[in-house]
Amino acid sequence: MKKLRIVTRSSKLALAQVDWVKNKLNNFYPDLDFDILKITTSGDKFLEAPLYKVGGKGLFVKELDDVLIQGEADIAIHSVKDVPQTLPDALILPVLCEREDPRDAWISPQGLRIEELAAGANVGTSSLRRIVQLRRVRSDLNYLSLRGNVPTRVAKCQAGDFDAIVLAKAGLARLEMSDVITHVFPPQILLPAVGQGAIGIVCHKAAEAVRALIAPLNHPRTYHCVMAERVMNKRLHGSCQVPIAGYAFVENESITLMGRVGHPDTTEMVEASCTMPFDAFEALGNEVAERLIAQGALSLIESFVKAKE
Ligand SMILES: NCc1[nH]cc(CCC(=O)O)c1CC(=O)O
């Protein structure tokens, strides 16, 4: 292949991720050229309502899927956190690139930590996962919807709309905006979203030349961890519309997966974790899901889905 056709969202973060992937590919194939097809998805257009109310992250991905299915591009590059659990039949997610720092970052223009904010202070985040976990640290803060792309969110915070906001550290790092970060939450306090910090590449299942070309970008440790998280999420019928957190890491040839599901009204949360051999990522994802289900996770998730209707 001489030229690879890439389809992407047109946000700054998406384009930074495309550049990252292009660089990696050019390390393996110095002569490879690229055609970049930029799409403004419907997810990028409906920026007012919280994401979980307007149909979720699928909005960012479906239009790109269609381009691949129609053969108008060879690969789509995504934050894998935004890629829904179930892909269209014709497509596959064969490559997960080496993960950035998966943790969540706290941005406070006054430089205050969450513990230091005054009661009733305004915290911007539209993520139910972040809200249910941060409520356990500070139930007396006012959690408000915050949408828009990453630079817009940071600008809203710096304009004084919020006392603090929460964003993925990886997105800020990719945009070279890490200097705005006040604090980074340890996973024990704020467990990251399934797939957070990793770039995934989607392509046509039958496109063997494309799959061979991109294969060297796969990072096995990231792949096993993110797949363990996604298997757990799938068993829980997870989507971005429910507060599920999942984070796996490798230590001494084993993978540990931690999972959490939040309660809609209280500061209760169910959580589970388990460690298995490196290759057992699928069993691991299912085991942690089953342990969460044994504690009532499915009915918690259902209560969120109902509340949305
Ligand atoms: N939901 C939007 C989204 N999708 C991916 C990232 C950040 C990059 C990543 O997690 O890989 C973000 C922004 C955020 O959550 O702060």
Side-chain angles (χ1 to χ4, degrees), residues 115-161:
E115 296 84 359
E116 298 168 330
L117 287 184
N122 294 325
V123 176
T125 173
S126 300
S127 150
L128 292 170
R129 173 187 63 84
R130 288 171 180 146
I131 294 170
V132 299
Q133 293 186 83
L134 291 182
R135 250 185 1 208
R136 291 165 62 86
V137 181
R138 287 294 303 269
S139 60
D140 59 337
L141 301 179
N142 191 18
Y143 295 99
L144 298 170
S145 172
L146 169 63
R147 290 217 41 218
N149 57 40
V150 172
T152 307
R153 294 188 206 188
V154 171
K156 283 181 182 171
C157 183
Q158 287 173 336
D161 293 8

Tab-separated table of all heavy atoms in Angstrom, residues 115-161:
chain	number	residue	atom	x	y	z
A	115	GLU	N	-10.771	18.855	47.836
A	115	GLU	CA	-10.998	18.937	49.285
A	115	GLU	C	-11.078	20.389	49.752
A	115	GLU	O	-11.618	20.668	50.822
A	115	GLU	CB	-9.860	18.243	50.056
A	115	GLU	CG	-9.742	16.747	49.819
A	115	GLU	CD	-8.947	16.400	48.559
A	115	GLU	OE1	-8.484	17.322	47.842
A	115	GLU	OE2	-8.821	15.184	48.273
A	116	GLU	N	-10.499	21.298	48.974
A	116	GLU	CA	-10.376	22.695	49.408
A	116	GLU	C	-11.509	23.596	48.905
A	116	GLU	O	-11.593	24.754	49.306
A	116	GLU	CB	-9.037	23.273	48.910
A	116	GLU	CG	-7.828	22.542	49.478
A	116	GLU	CD	-6.520	22.909	48.782
A	116	GLU	OE1	-6.527	23.249	47.581
A	116	GLU	OE2	-5.477	22.841	49.442
A	117	LEU	N	-12.359	23.087	48.002
A	117	LEU	CA	-13.428	23.930	47.459
A	117	LEU	C	-14.471	24.241	48.533
A	117	LEU	O	-14.696	23.438	49.445
A	117	LEU	CB	-14.138	23.221	46.293
A	117	LEU	CG	-13.386	23.100	44.964
A	117	LEU	CD1	-14.295	22.458	43.917
A	117	LEU	CD2	-12.889	24.451	44.469
A	118	ALA	N	-15.116	25.410	48.416
A	118	ALA	CA	-16.198	25.762	49.339
A	118	ALA	C	-17.422	24.912	49.031
A	118	ALA	O	-17.626	24.488	47.880
A	118	ALA	CB	-16.539	27.243	49.171
A	119	ALA	N	-18.250	24.666	50.034
A	119	ALA	CA	-19.497	23.931	49.819
A	119	ALA	C	-20.299	24.629	48.723
A	119	ALA	O	-20.334	25.855	48.653
A	119	ALA	CB	-20.300	23.884	51.113
A	120	GLY	N	-20.910	23.841	47.831
A	120	GLY	CA	-21.731	24.408	46.777
A	120	GLY	C	-20.947	24.912	45.576
A	120	GLY	O	-21.528	25.432	44.623
A	121	ALA	N	-19.634	24.761	45.585
A	121	ALA	CA	-18.822	25.197	44.437
A	121	ALA	C	-19.230	24.417	43.189
A	121	ALA	O	-19.699	23.278	43.277
A	121	ALA	CB	-17.342	24.995	44.745
A	122	ASN	N	-19.055	25.057	42.024
A	122	ASN	CA	-19.509	24.469	40.763
A	122	ASN	C	-18.408	23.658	40.094
A	122	ASN	O	-17.352	24.196	39.752
A	122	ASN	CB	-19.961	25.576	39.809
A	122	ASN	CG	-21.197	26.289	40.326
A	122	ASN	OD1	-22.058	25.657	40.953
A	122	ASN	ND2	-21.277	27.580	40.084
A	123	VAL	N	-18.713	22.378	39.870
A	123	VAL	CA	-17.753	21.487	39.223
A	123	VAL	C	-18.346	21.023	37.897
A	123	VAL	O	-19.445	20.483	37.852
A	123	VAL	CB	-17.436	20.266	40.122
A	123	VAL	CG1	-16.520	19.289	39.400
A	123	VAL	CG2	-16.813	20.719	41.434
A	124	GLY	N	-17.629	21.247	36.821
A	124	GLY	CA	-18.130	20.892	35.492
A	124	GLY	C	-17.681	19.517	35.053
A	124	GLY	O	-16.485	19.252	34.965
A	125	THR	N	-18.644	18.664	34.801
A	125	THR	CA	-18.400	17.375	34.138
A	125	THR	C	-19.753	16.792	33.789
A	125	THR	O	-20.688	16.859	34.585
A	125	THR	CB	-17.637	16.360	35.000
A	125	THR	OG1	-17.616	15.105	34.294
A	125	THR	CG2	-18.257	16.140	36.367
A	126	SER	N	-19.877	16.239	32.603
A	126	SER	CA	-21.144	15.612	32.230
A	126	SER	C	-21.074	14.106	32.399
A	126	SER	O	-21.997	13.401	32.014
A	126	SER	CB	-21.495	15.943	30.784
A	126	SER	OG	-21.606	17.336	30.651
A	127	SER	N	-19.964	13.627	32.949
A	127	SER	CA	-19.793	12.189	33.026
A	127	SER	C	-20.392	11.651	34.328
A	127	SER	O	-19.962	12.014	35.425
A	127	SER	CB	-18.296	11.874	32.939
A	127	SER	OG	-17.989	10.709	33.656
A	128	LEU	N	-21.396	10.776	34.189
A	128	LEU	CA	-22.002	10.168	35.388
A	128	LEU	C	-20.962	9.389	36.175
A	128	LEU	O	-21.003	9.345	37.404
A	128	LEU	CB	-23.150	9.239	34.979
A	128	LEU	CG	-24.387	9.911	34.385
A	128	LEU	CD1	-25.329	8.860	33.809
A	128	LEU	CD2	-25.099	10.738	35.439
A	129	ARG	N	-20.053	8.757	35.458
A	129	ARG	CA	-18.980	8.012	36.139
A	129	ARG	C	-18.181	8.933	37.064
A	129	ARG	O	-17.904	8.588	38.219
A	129	ARG	CB	-18.035	7.407	35.089
A	129	ARG	CG	-16.784	6.745	35.669
A	129	ARG	CD	-15.812	6.322	34.570
A	129	ARG	NE	-15.298	7.454	33.807
A	129	ARG	CZ	-14.269	8.215	34.170
A	129	ARG	NH1	-13.625	7.959	35.294
A	129	ARG	NH2	-13.873	9.224	33.418
A	130	ARG	N	-17.820	10.094	36.565
A	130	ARG	CA	-17.043	11.018	37.401
A	130	ARG	C	-17.909	11.558	38.536
A	130	ARG	O	-17.453	11.660	39.677
A	130	ARG	CB	-16.501	12.168	36.543
A	130	ARG	CG	-15.374	11.713	35.605
A	130	ARG	CD	-14.960	12.765	34.591
A	130	ARG	NE	-13.884	12.290	33.726
A	130	ARG	CZ	-13.750	12.632	32.449
A	130	ARG	NH1	-14.620	13.451	31.875
A	130	ARG	NH2	-12.752	12.155	31.741
A	131	ILE	N	-19.169	11.898	38.241
A	131	ILE	CA	-20.030	12.481	39.277
A	131	ILE	C	-20.237	11.500	40.427
A	131	ILE	O	-20.068	11.858	41.592
A	131	ILE	CB	-21.383	12.930	38.674
A	131	ILE	CG1	-21.159	14.086	37.683
A	131	ILE	CG2	-22.344	13.366	39.777
A	131	ILE	CD1	-22.390	14.444	36.843
A	132	VAL	N	-20.594	10.251	40.117
A	132	VAL	CA	-20.899	9.332	41.225
A	132	VAL	C	-19.664	9.060	42.092
A	132	VAL	O	-19.789	8.877	43.303
A	132	VAL	CB	-21.531	7.984	40.767
A	132	VAL	CG1	-22.840	8.202	40.059
A	132	VAL	CG2	-20.582	7.174	39.930
A	133	GLN	N	-18.496	9.068	41.490
A	133	GLN	CA	-17.297	8.811	42.304
A	133	GLN	C	-16.872	10.052	43.081
A	133	GLN	O	-16.470	9.956	44.244
A	133	GLN	CB	-16.151	8.303	41.431
A	133	GLN	CG	-16.433	6.926	40.838
A	133	GLN	CD	-15.234	6.366	40.097
A	133	GLN	OE1	-14.331	5.783	40.682
A	133	GLN	NE2	-15.209	6.549	38.780
A	134	LEU	N	-16.980	11.218	42.461
A	134	LEU	CA	-16.551	12.440	43.167
A	134	LEU	C	-17.529	12.816	44.274
A	134	LEU	O	-17.143	13.422	45.276
A	134	LEU	CB	-16.368	13.597	42.179
A	134	LEU	CG	-15.180	13.411	41.230
A	134	LEU	CD1	-15.036	14.615	40.312
A	134	LEU	CD2	-13.878	13.170	42.003
A	135	ARG	N	-18.805	12.423	44.102
A	135	ARG	CA	-19.779	12.662	45.171
A	135	ARG	C	-19.367	11.970	46.467
A	135	ARG	O	-19.730	12.388	47.556
A	135	ARG	CB	-21.149	12.116	44.730
A	135	ARG	CG	-22.148	13.206	44.441
A	135	ARG	CD	-23.545	12.726	44.110
A	135	ARG	NE	-23.768	11.306	44.128
A	135	ARG	CZ	-24.689	10.690	43.387
A	135	ARG	NH1	-25.455	11.381	42.561
A	135	ARG	NH2	-24.854	9.405	43.472
A	136	ARG	N	-18.611	10.879	46.330
A	136	ARG	CA	-18.154	10.176	47.538
A	136	ARG	C	-17.060	10.963	48.256
A	136	ARG	O	-16.857	10.800	49.445
A	136	ARG	CB	-17.621	8.792	47.159
A	136	ARG	CG	-18.716	7.866	46.687
A	136	ARG	CD	-18.147	6.661	45.979
A	136	ARG	NE	-17.294	5.843	46.824
A	136	ARG	CZ	-17.726	4.888	47.615
A	136	ARG	NH1	-19.017	4.614	47.673
A	136	ARG	NH2	-16.889	4.189	48.335
A	137	VAL	N	-16.352	11.795	47.506
A	137	VAL	CA	-15.316	12.644	48.113
A	137	VAL	C	-15.955	13.927	48.638
A	137	VAL	O	-15.689	14.359	49.748
A	137	VAL	CB	-14.227	12.991	47.061
A	137	VAL	CG1	-13.126	13.846	47.694
A	137	VAL	CG2	-13.643	11.727	46.450
A	138	ARG	N	-16.826	14.541	47.815
A	138	ARG	CA	-17.490	15.787	48.175
A	138	ARG	C	-18.933	15.738	47.679
A	138	ARG	O	-19.210	16.053	46.513
A	138	ARG	CB	-16.762	16.975	47.526
A	138	ARG	CG	-15.423	17.323	48.147
A	138	ARG	CD	-15.486	17.845	49.572
A	138	ARG	NE	-16.314	19.019	49.735
A	138	ARG	CZ	-15.880	20.285	49.643
A	138	ARG	NH1	-14.631	20.541	49.380
A	138	ARG	NH2	-16.717	21.282	49.843
A	139	SER	N	-19.845	15.345	48.588
A	139	SER	CA	-21.256	15.270	48.178
A	139	SER	C	-21.887	16.660	48.178
A	139	SER	O	-23.004	16.837	47.697
A	139	SER	CB	-22.022	14.342	49.118
A	139	SER	OG	-21.931	14.860	50.430
A	140	ASP	N	-21.168	17.663	48.710
A	140	ASP	CA	-21.745	19.002	48.874
A	140	ASP	C	-21.377	19.943	47.735
A	140	ASP	O	-21.624	21.142	47.813
A	140	ASP	CB	-21.265	19.602	50.205
A	140	ASP	CG	-19.743	19.709	50.281
A	140	ASP	OD1	-19.051	18.953	49.550
A	140	ASP	OD2	-19.245	20.547	51.046
A	141	LEU	N	-20.794	19.427	46.674
A	141	LEU	CA	-20.469	20.289	45.529
A	141	LEU	C	-21.601	20.230	44.515
A	141	LEU	O	-22.432	19.325	44.536
A	141	LEU	CB	-19.145	19.857	44.892
A	141	LEU	CG	-17.922	19.885	45.819
A	141	LEU	CD1	-16.687	19.400	45.068
A	141	LEU	CD2	-17.697	21.281	46.393
A	142	ASN	N	-21.602	21.223	43.632
A	142	ASN	CA	-22.653	21.341	42.639
A	142	ASN	C	-22.094	20.848	41.297
A	142	ASN	O	-21.307	21.541	40.664
A	142	ASN	CB	-23.019	22.840	42.580
A	142	ASN	CG	-24.274	23.111	41.800
A	142	ASN	OD1	-25.071	22.203	41.572
A	142	ASN	ND2	-24.441	24.351	41.387
A	143	TYR	N	-22.496	19.640	40.894
A	143	TYR	CA	-21.946	19.059	39.664
A	143	TYR	C	-22.799	19.475	38.471
A	143	TYR	O	-23.996	19.200	38.423
A	143	TYR	CB	-21.857	17.535	39.797
A	143	TYR	CG	-20.877	17.126	40.880
A	143	TYR	CD1	-21.320	16.774	42.150
A	143	TYR	CD2	-19.504	17.151	40.642
A	143	TYR	CE1	-20.421	16.441	43.156
A	143	TYR	CE2	-18.597	16.819	41.648
A	143	TYR	CZ	-19.060	16.464	42.898
A	143	TYR	OH	-18.167	16.144	43.890
A	144	LEU	N	-22.189	20.163	37.522
A	144	LEU	CA	-22.916	20.757	36.396
A	144	LEU	C	-22.439	20.180	35.080
A	144	LEU	O	-21.276	19.809	34.926
A	144	LEU	CB	-22.665	22.277	36.368
A	144	LEU	CG	-23.134	23.063	37.588
A	144	LEU	CD1	-22.595	24.484	37.524
A	144	LEU	CD2	-24.650	23.062	37.636
A	145	SER	N	-23.371	20.192	34.108
A	145	SER	CA	-23.052	19.673	32.783
A	145	SER	C	-21.963	20.513	32.106
A	145	SER	O	-21.952	21.736	32.186
A	145	SER	CB	-24.329	19.686	31.938
A	145	SER	OG	-24.002	19.367	30.603
A	146	LEU	N	-21.045	19.831	31.454
A	146	LEU	CA	-19.972	20.508	30.722
A	146	LEU	C	-19.728	19.738	29.439
A	146	LEU	O	-19.301	18.594	29.474
A	146	LEU	CB	-18.688	20.528	31.566
A	146	LEU	CG	-17.407	20.972	30.850
A	146	LEU	CD1	-17.515	22.410	30.375
A	146	LEU	CD2	-16.208	20.813	31.767
A	147	ARG	N	-20.036	20.373	28.305
A	147	ARG	CA	-19.791	19.680	27.031
A	147	ARG	C	-18.947	20.553	26.138
A	147	ARG	O	-18.488	21.615	26.504
A	147	ARG	CB	-21.125	19.282	26.376
A	147	ARG	CG	-21.828	18.171	27.161
A	147	ARG	CD	-22.522	17.179	26.275
A	147	ARG	NE	-21.755	16.821	25.098
A	147	ARG	CZ	-22.288	16.624	23.911
A	147	ARG	NH1	-23.576	16.780	23.718
A	147	ARG	NH2	-21.531	16.274	22.896
A	148	GLY	N	-18.768	20.080	24.908
A	148	GLY	CA	-17.888	20.782	23.984
A	148	GLY	C	-16.570	20.034	23.912
A	148	GLY	O	-16.319	19.121	24.700
A	149	ASN	N	-15.727	20.402	22.948
A	149	ASN	CA	-14.461	19.691	22.844
A	149	ASN	C	-13.508	20.154	23.959
A	149	ASN	O	-13.826	21.069	24.712
A	149	ASN	CB	-13.870	19.814	21.442
A	149	ASN	CG	-13.690	21.265	21.051
A	149	ASN	OD1	-13.296	22.087	21.872
A	149	ASN	ND2	-14.008	21.577	19.814
A	150	VAL	N	-12.390	19.485	24.063
A	150	VAL	CA	-11.526	19.691	25.233
A	150	VAL	C	-11.084	21.155	25.376
A	150	VAL	O	-11.241	21.738	26.456
A	150	VAL	CB	-10.331	18.701	25.211
A	150	VAL	CG1	-9.326	19.034	26.307
A	150	VAL	CG2	-10.834	17.266	25.359
A	151	PRO	N	-10.560	21.815	24.319
A	151	PRO	CA	-10.151	23.217	24.508
A	151	PRO	C	-11.318	24.122	24.916
A	151	PRO	O	-11.138	25.036	25.738
A	151	PRO	CB	-9.620	23.616	23.121
A	151	PRO	CG	-9.226	22.329	22.471
A	151	PRO	CD	-10.200	21.303	22.981
A	152	THR	N	-12.526	23.855	24.400
A	152	THR	CA	-13.701	24.654	24.788
A	152	THR	C	-14.006	24.477	26.266
A	152	THR	O	-14.331	25.427	26.977
A	152	THR	CB	-14.937	24.204	23.971
A	152	THR	OG1	-14.605	24.240	22.586
A	152	THR	CG2	-16.139	25.091	24.242
A	153	ARG	N	-13.909	23.246	26.743
A	153	ARG	CA	-14.197	22.990	28.163
A	153	ARG	C	-13.198	23.719	29.052
A	153	ARG	O	-13.574	24.310	30.062
A	153	ARG	CB	-14.141	21.487	28.451
A	153	ARG	CG	-15.239	20.719	27.743
A	153	ARG	CD	-15.262	19.286	28.222
A	153	ARG	NE	-15.828	18.402	27.217
A	153	ARG	CZ	-16.115	17.128	27.434
A	153	ARG	NH1	-15.908	16.592	28.617
A	153	ARG	NH2	-16.623	16.395	26.486
A	154	VAL	N	-11.942	23.662	28.664
A	154	VAL	CA	-10.922	24.345	29.466
A	154	VAL	C	-11.177	25.851	29.438
A	154	VAL	O	-11.102	26.527	30.473
A	154	VAL	CB	-9.504	24.002	28.940
A	154	VAL	CG1	-8.450	24.875	29.613
A	154	VAL	CG2	-9.202	22.523	29.165
A	155	ALA	N	-11.552	26.378	28.270
A	155	ALA	CA	-11.802	27.820	28.155
A	155	ALA	C	-12.983	28.232	29.038
A	155	ALA	O	-12.944	29.267	29.701
A	155	ALA	CB	-12.062	28.185	26.695
A	156	LYS	N	-14.042	27.406	29.073
A	156	LYS	CA	-15.204	27.717	29.920
A	156	LYS	C	-14.787	27.783	31.385
A	156	LYS	O	-15.262	28.625	32.142
A	156	LYS	CB	-16.287	26.651	29.758
A	156	LYS	CG	-17.095	26.775	28.470
A	156	LYS	CD	-18.163	25.680	28.399
A	156	LYS	CE	-18.940	25.759	27.093
A	156	LYS	NZ	-19.833	24.593	26.916
A	157	CYS	N	-13.928	26.876	31.773
A	157	CYS	CA	-13.476	26.857	33.162
A	157	CYS	C	-12.648	28.099	33.453
A	157	CYS	O	-12.831	28.765	34.470
A	157	CYS	CB	-12.657	25.589	33.409
A	157	CYS	SG	-12.114	25.416	35.107
A	158	GLN	N	-11.747	28.429	32.533
A	158	GLN	CA	-10.880	29.587	32.770
A	158	GLN	C	-11.644	30.902	32.700
A	158	GLN	O	-11.227	31.899	33.286
A	158	GLN	CB	-9.682	29.543	31.820
A	158	GLN	CG	-8.719	28.446	32.291
A	158	GLN	CD	-7.572	28.170	31.345
A	158	GLN	OE1	-7.667	28.444	30.151
A	158	GLN	NE2	-6.500	27.605	31.874
A	159	ALA	N	-12.793	30.891	32.003
A	159	ALA	CA	-13.632	32.095	31.945
A	159	ALA	C	-14.432	32.280	33.237
A	159	ALA	O	-15.143	33.262	33.392
A	159	ALA	CB	-14.580	32.004	30.748
A	160	GLY	N	-14.361	31.321	34.134
A	160	GLY	CA	-15.022	31.469	35.424
A	160	GLY	C	-16.393	30.814	35.505
A	160	GLY	O	-17.115	30.987	36.478
A	161	ASP	N	-16.768	30.034	34.486
A	161	ASP	CA	-18.068	29.347	34.532
A	161	ASP	C	-18.098	28.259	35.613
A	161	ASP	O	-19.166	27.840	36.037
A	161	ASP	CB	-18.374	28.674	33.183
A	161	ASP	CG	-18.590	29.687	32.065
A	161	ASP	OD1	-18.349	30.887	32.313
A	161	ASP	OD2	-18.987	29.274	30.961
